[in-house]
Amino acid sequence: MSGGQGQHDDPLDRLAAEEDWSRRAKAVENQVARERRMPSLRPARTPRPRRDREPRGGISLIFVALVVVMLVSAVAAWTGVGHPSLVVFFFVLSGWLVTLCLHEFSHALTAHRGGDHTVAEKGYLRLDPRKYGHPVLTLLLPMLWLLIGGLPLPGGAVMIESHRLRNRFRDALVSAAGPAVNVAASIVLLAAVALGGPAFLNWDAPHLTFWAGLTFLAYLQVATAILNLLPVPGLDGYGMIEPYLSPGVRHAGNKIKPFGILIVFALLYLPLARGLFGDATVFFLDVSGVPRELAAYGNYLFQFWKSW
């Protein structure tokens, strides 16, 4: 047995085994080192998806420019710098466009708070007039009617996804938010003229050009509020009651909506409808104590080309 044990414990065999083990261990270490130097073939880690954020944007530079034009022309009208007609023209037109942007912004902001967050992606919260509806039907046509006829057709439109709103009341509130801007502007402007302006059309009154332009701008705000509150499909007055109408009536109204502004345009072309609308607008001027002749003089200055 001793012979067998000596053969089993031969030092040479143990040394050979140790050398073979060391060689294999060294080979494994070299292989690991080579794999570390090679680029990893594992798929890249998928980044964690970020939450969708609404575009912040900011206030449109066009709106800022309109406000600057309105303020500069108002100062010019007050100080008597420049031709009265041109000054009033730029003052009234820029003021009307500013309230138009605020009108549509109010729609969008109310919808945003009511649950429709897509208005931010559409750019409605930037006060950019280019975003508010069709450039011809909802902006150019009302502006031309304002310049030619002296009446402000409802202009601008924002596409609200009503199904995202929380309830019918929110839907109706979105439609009411726009005319509320014109009503508020009417109250502020009429109060300013009634408290600080002349009690009648006095050619010797100080700052007459400014007060005439401001009175005509107030007249346009009253007219815009009345027009928008008409219950015609496509206008805000109809939108305020639409959520509470039956499905059949709403379906019929949806077919008329694209032509709502054209219907108003046609009605105002008729002498009877135009006269009734003018009487309703002047009524609010009389109630506030603002002389209607001052608004007429402002309209005369605004439409300066008619005197050429």
Side-chain angles (χ1 to χ4, degrees):
M1 293 183 62
S2 60
Q5 184 178 3
Q7 186 178 359
H8 185 269
D9 293 335
D10 188 351
L12 295 177
D13 292 337
R14 289 198 302 271
L15 180 61
E18 289 178 359
E19 290 179 354
D20 182 66
W21 170 255
S22 300
R23 185 169 55 252
R24 284 187 293 175
K26 187 66 175 180
V28 171
E29 291 178 357
N30 293 335
Q31 180 67 24
V32 171
R34 285 195 299 269
E35 290 180 355
R36 287 179 178 178
R37 290 193 297 268
M38 294 176 60
S40 176
L41 299 180
R42 292 178 299 175
R45 181 180 179 182
T46 304
R48 183 176 299 177
R50 299 180 179 180
R51 295 182 179 179
D52 294 334
R53 296 182 180 180
E54 299 173 358
R56 297 180 180 179
I59 299 179
S60 168
L61 293 179
I62 298 179
F63 179 78
V64 175
L66 290 174
V67 173
V68 171
V69 172
M70 182 184 67
L71 295 177
V72 171
S73 56
V75 172
W78 180 268
T79 57
V81 176
H83 194 280
S85 293
L86 291 178
V87 169
V88 169
F89 173 80
F90 285 108
F91 174 47
V92 172
L93 183 60
S94 59
W96 180 74
L97 290 174
V98 165
T99 55
L100 172 63
C101 294
L102 292 175
H103 177 112
E104 302 304 331
F105 172 81
S106 183
H107 282 309
L109 181 62
T110 306
H112 188 270
R113 293 184 175 180
D116 182 11
H117 299 287
T118 63
V119 295
E121 301 172 359
K122 298 171 183 175
Y124 295 156
L125 299 180
R126 298 193 62 238
L127 291 167
D128 190 342
R130 298 173 301 177
K131 301 293 184 179
Y132 298 141
H134 194 276
V136 176
L137 294 179
T138 60
L139 189 60
L140 182 60
L141 183 60
M143 187 180 301
L144 288 177
W145 186 251
L146 172 65
L147 297 177
I148 297 173
L151 290 176
L153 282 180
V158 294
M159 302 300 295
I160 304 298
E161 299 184 16
S162 301
H163 64 279
R164 298 180 182 273
L165 301 176
R166 296 188 181 96
N167 49 51
R168 292 187 298 177
F169 175 75
R170 294 279 186 174
D171 196 353
L173 193 62
V174 169
S175 297
V181 171
N182 301 111
V183 172
S186 301
I187 294 174
V188 172
L189 295 178
L190 290 176
V193 177
L195 296 175
F200 57 93
L201 182 56
N202 181 10
W203 300 108
D204 296 327
H207 315 296
L208 179 62
T209 300
F210 171 80
W211 292 117
L214 193 66
T215 305
F216 181 57
L217 182 58
Y219 172 87
L220 293 179
Q221 294 304 316
V222 174
T224 302
I226 294 175
L227 285 174
N228 277 282
L229 290 174
L230 293 176
V232 177
L235 301 185
D236 295 329
Y238 176 81
M240 293 169 61
I241 63 175
E242 182 183 16
Y244 301 96
L245 299 177
S246 63
V249 175
R250 297 180 64 178
H251 180 71
N254 289 335
K255 296 182 178 180
I256 305 175
K257 280 184 179 181
F259 312 100
I261 189 172
L262 298 179
I263 294 175
V264 174
F265 180 84
L267 289 176
L268 292 178
Y269 187 76
L270 301 175
L272 178 60
R274 186 184 178 95
L276 293 175
F277 171 75
D279 293 340
T281 306
V282 170
F283 168 78
F284 288 98
L285 268 66
D286 295 339
V287 170
S288 63
V290 173
R292 63 177 69 179
E293 296 82 6
L294 197 59
Y297 181 54
N299 185 25
Y300 170 79
L301 294 175
F302 177 75
Q303 296 179 324
F304 61 90
W305 54 89
K306 290 187 175 181
S307 60
W308 289 356

